[in-house]
Amino acid sequence: MIDRNKPDYQTPTQKEIWNAATNLVPLEISLPAIPMEYHQSCRDLYHFFTDILEDMYIHPDPYMALGDVQTYIRWFWVFLYKAYDFEGGAFITPIDKHKKFVKKMGAPLLDFLTTRWGLQIKKTDTEVRISNTKYPHMLSAVYNTLQAAYKNYNVNCGDYLTFCDFRALVNYKRTYHDMLELLNREGQAIAESICEFALARGIKPVKCTYFNRVEFKKKGKIVFILDVAEGKNLKINIGFAELGGQAFRRMSDAIDAYTDKEIFVRYLRNHLKKCTNCTPGCQKRANPVEIFGLKTIFCQPFLRMFQPPKTDLHHIFRLIELREMVVDAGISEIFYPGNG
């Protein structure tokens, strides 16, 4: 069985499948939040996903030959939802639209998935009908969940389906606690320590964006962001400052007073957001700048850590305090790290 605290995958494909399987919101969390009329279809879809993800994980070779796992654990359903009508527990479309869907997905991929996943495709002279006999109600959950997600949310709508977060049906707004549940044990422990520190300073988790990313704000300004990275590890983004600006000078003055300045500055430089997705001719990459006495590639004014050890919390708390200081002073700059 797939266990979020035991990432025993052997290949990149298995890694993607493991991530998808450990993303599923348990039924004991989702079902109590939605009307009874949806329970049977949502159970069917949840068990369908756990079945196919276990199959994919145990027998990855057939899937590895197809390429990107996301094609068949997410976009397949989005394409189906957009290309077909839904009626009587099945997706139905005229023959000509089905041909366009096949062309978009690719006939070999579509044939493989429908066979492997137990979907039945029935064709007449005028239409095509897709259903599932093992889980006859599951396609109702596919349709209803995606319909609600596209109505209620601006981004990551497909995730509500593939994460089986059926609370989309009641326009549920995800919170810090939903993000926390997706982390492994080590990530949860670090996240809770950081959250406890922040709350004591009046920095609160106020918004969950991109499905998992939680913004912690003070006075309406983002101080830091917690997110879920690969392997269910914790990702932390902490706001910093543009070089040479008022906020940077205020931070520099505070850092100069640290008795362990050299150690802290080394940690800060090591975690400044580096450029990872730009052209070879990027000027920031080609022209490192001096930060606290050393040349550093400085791309964006924030810092990033992945699953830091507890011994790093002292540095992380200081970085949060520095960002909070310029927020309180009303001189903080825009901090928007996107979803990278």
Side-chain angles (χ1 to χ4, degrees), residues 1-293:
M1 295 292 291
I2 296 173
D3 184 339
R4 78 176 57 230
N5 292 298
K6 295 179 180 178
D8 58 350
Y9 40 75
Q10 303 298 316
T11 68
T13 298
Q14 276 192 317
K15 182 178 180 180
E16 287 193 56
I17 297 164
W18 180 88
N19 272 293
T22 53
N23 281 341
L24 299 183
V25 176
L27 289 175
E28 58 265 28
I29 291 176
S30 64
L31 292 188
I34 64 175
M36 282 291 297
E37 64 192 88
Y38 297 113
H39 283 203
Q40 183 59 58
S41 63
C42 291
R43 282 195 194 95
D44 274 9
L45 183 58
Y46 182 87
H47 293 309
F48 170 81
F49 272 131
T50 55
D51 283 354
I52 64 170
L53 289 166
E54 286 286 348
D55 174 57
M56 292 165 73
Y57 196 70
I58 296 169
H59 307 103
D61 290 348
Y63 294 93
M64 289 174 66
L66 297 173
D68 183 8
V69 173
Q70 291 300 319
T71 300
Y72 39 85
I73 61 176
R74 177 176 180 173
W75 294 118
F76 172 86
W77 302 104
V78 174
F79 289 161
L80 192 67
Y81 170 77
K82 291 181 177 180
Y84 282 58
D85 295 322
F86 185 75
E87 180 183 312
F91 282 101
I92 303 169
T93 195
I95 288 288
D96 59 337
K97 285 190 177 181
H98 176 71
K99 289 179 179 178
K100 292 179 181 178
F101 178 67
V102 172
K103 184 177 180 180
K104 192 168 190 178
M105 286 293 297
L109 174 61
L110 186 59
D111 289 343
F112 173 83
L113 294 182
T114 52
T115 300
R116 193 86 180 192
W117 290 355
L119 299 173
Q120 289 79 46
I121 297 183
K122 295 183 179 180
K123 299 179 181 179
T124 68
D125 292 338
T126 59
E127 69 177 20
V128 175
R129 180 185 183 92
I130 295 181
S131 60
N132 186 295
T133 54
K134 182 177 181 180
Y135 296 112
H137 305 286
M138 60 163 281
L139 294 180
S140 294
V142 171
Y143 178 80
N144 290 330
T145 302
L146 282 175
Q147 184 182 52
Y150 278 105
K151 176 183 177 181
N152 295 327
Y153 311 108
N154 293 324
V155 295
N156 293 66
C157 298
D159 285 345
Y160 284 88
L161 177 71
T162 55
F163 280 54
C164 287
D165 194 346
F166 303 121
R167 295 172 296 180
L169 295 165
V170 291
N171 196 14
Y172 176 77
K173 304 303 183 186
R174 291 176 61 83
T175 70
Y176 162 77
H177 297 287
D178 295 304
M179 182 278 299
L180 192 68
E181 284 296 319
L182 284 173
L183 293 169
N184 55 35
R185 280 189 289 264
E186 292 79 6
Q188 287 177 347
I190 295 298
E192 290 192 288
S193 294
I194 293 172
C195 184
E196 182 179 353
F197 174 81
L199 289 174
R201 305 185 68 86
I203 305 168
K204 300 178 181 179
V206 297
K207 189 176 183 181
C208 187
T209 60
Y210 291 97
F211 202 77
N212 295 321
R213 196 182 72 178
V214 180
E215 299 173 353
F216 283 71
K217 290 185 176 182
K218 187 173 185 181
K219 297 183 178 179
K221 302 290 186 180
I222 299 175
V223 176
F224 66 93
I225 293 172
L226 300 185
D227 202 348
V228 182
E230 285 189 353
K232 299 297 175 287
N233 289 326
L234 175 67
K235 179 168 72 173
I236 309 165
N237 291 324
I238 304 175
F240 191 53
E242 295 286 359
L243 297 186
Q246 187 178 5
F248 181 80
R249 291 193 296 272
R250 181 72 66 88
M251 288 183 175
S252 297
D253 290 342
I255 292 169
D256 284 339
Y258 293 164
T259 57
D260 59 346
K261 174 184 173 181
E262 184 177 345
I263 295 172
F264 176 76
V265 165
R266 187 182 307 121
Y267 184 85
L268 185 153
R269 281 198 304 260
N270 287 340
H271 292 89
L272 284 170
K273 176 64 172 68
K274 304 299 193 301
C275 185
T276 57
N277 188 28
C278 68
T279 63
C282 173
Q283 290 303 302
K284 289 185 177 180
R285 182 182 290 275
N287 297 289
V289 294
E290 185 175 301
I291 300 179
F292 301 111

